[in-house]
Amino acid sequence: QHRTIRVWLKRDSGQYWPSIYHTMSSPCSAMAYHHDSRRIFVGQDNGAIMEFHISEDFNKMNFVKTYPAHQNRVSAITFCLTSEWVVSTGHDKCISWMCTRSGSMLGRHYFTSWASCLQYDYETQHAFVGDYSGQITLLKLEQNTCSVITTLKGHEGSITSLWWDPVQRLLFSGASDHSIIMWDIGGRKGRTLLLQGHHDKVQAICYIQLTRQLVSCSADGGIAVWNMDISREEAPQWLESDSCQKCEQPFFWNIKQMWDTKTIGLRQHHCRKCGQAVCGKCSTKRSSYPIMGFEFQVRVCDSCFESIKDEDRTSLATFHEGKHNISHMSMDISRGLMVTCGSDRIVKIWDMTPVVGCSLATGFSSR
């Protein structure tokens, strides 16, 4: 936010020092780095994206060009080397794609809400855009136009992070409703899995395809590592009813049944395991149910509580404390390293190999 971009190098002493310190014209809001070509794209609050080229020794940064991508803050950027496109989303409610050779705008598509995050399939040119209304839009980008393939709705809060795995064709989304949803884009009729283990908004996610693990970070500093290499159950759709589906007592809006039975209407709740609409008296229990993604205790009806065995409550994720309000996260999967940036203006580098596994198959080396 103080308009600087820095490149940190690890010295022989083990400490990191900024080798480059470049001041921008506007606060920085998004960044994409392409390792092979050493090109860096920085989005700003004023809507512009600036491209730089980093020298081989990482001690010099040369300005290349400015892209007039948006009319408001840039929220996410990705760069595709094969097509020479820079694709970005912004708070002007649009996705734009520009040619890096000419610097010219190729196309734009507008949404009804601020576009908050972006993932891109480089082979098929499909873009996934999350927005503040809680929707995810799947777009097919062409040279000068695009088409909307589908819209995914499942979150109750704004989308804060997305991760696309092109191998298994899985999309993961994190949101301000503290939850993560796995969308099976490749098949199984749009199967979705809900993961709830954070107590604040999910700020960043990364799926490790080799070990079938999902790493997620939240605003309260929580870091979760989810085991996705098991058969999980889908959370049921919540059923609607005018009366409790267990004891048949009317809910408070069911005036007719209240009048007929001379009873006071009850508040409606939902069992997280079966999805039935139940009253408070029929759902007095709470239980975790990790196979359905509920890592902490949630409301279940009394009959479902009896059906849950002790082994069903065994956690399928590990939880760690980041000890700062995590706002961004990036993983170097090949080395098992993770970087988190906090609202406390601290950057932390984590060795994740003890948690995400170390073996020759993953390419991780234990240190």
Side-chain angles (χ1 to χ4, degrees), residues 16 29 42 47 60 69 88 102 106 122 167 195 201 211 222 227 232 260 271 283 295 323 325 342-343 352:
Y16 284 83
S29 56
V42 183
K60 192 175 181 183
S88 60
S102 64
L106 296 174
Y122 297 100
V167 178
L195 303 174
K201 62 181 177 180
T211 58
N227 178 10
R232 289 179 177 267
D260 293 342
C271 172
S283 57
E295 287 289 336
K323 295 184 180 176
N325 183 323
S343 58
M352 294 294 285

Side-chain angles (χ1 to χ4, degrees), residues 78-89:
T78 189
F79 169 62
C80 180
L81 183 64
T82 52
S83 61
E84 286 284 349
W85 285 5
V86 56
V87 185
S88 60
T89 55

Side-chain angles (χ1 to χ4, degrees), residues 271-294:
C271 172
R272 301 305 192 267
K273 186 175 184 294
C274 68
Q276 287 191 319
V278 291
C279 67
K281 291 179 181 178
C282 295
S283 57
T284 60
K285 308 292 187 181
R286 302 288 184 276
S287 175
S288 61
Y289 196 50
I291 201 165
M292 203 174 271
F294 300 114

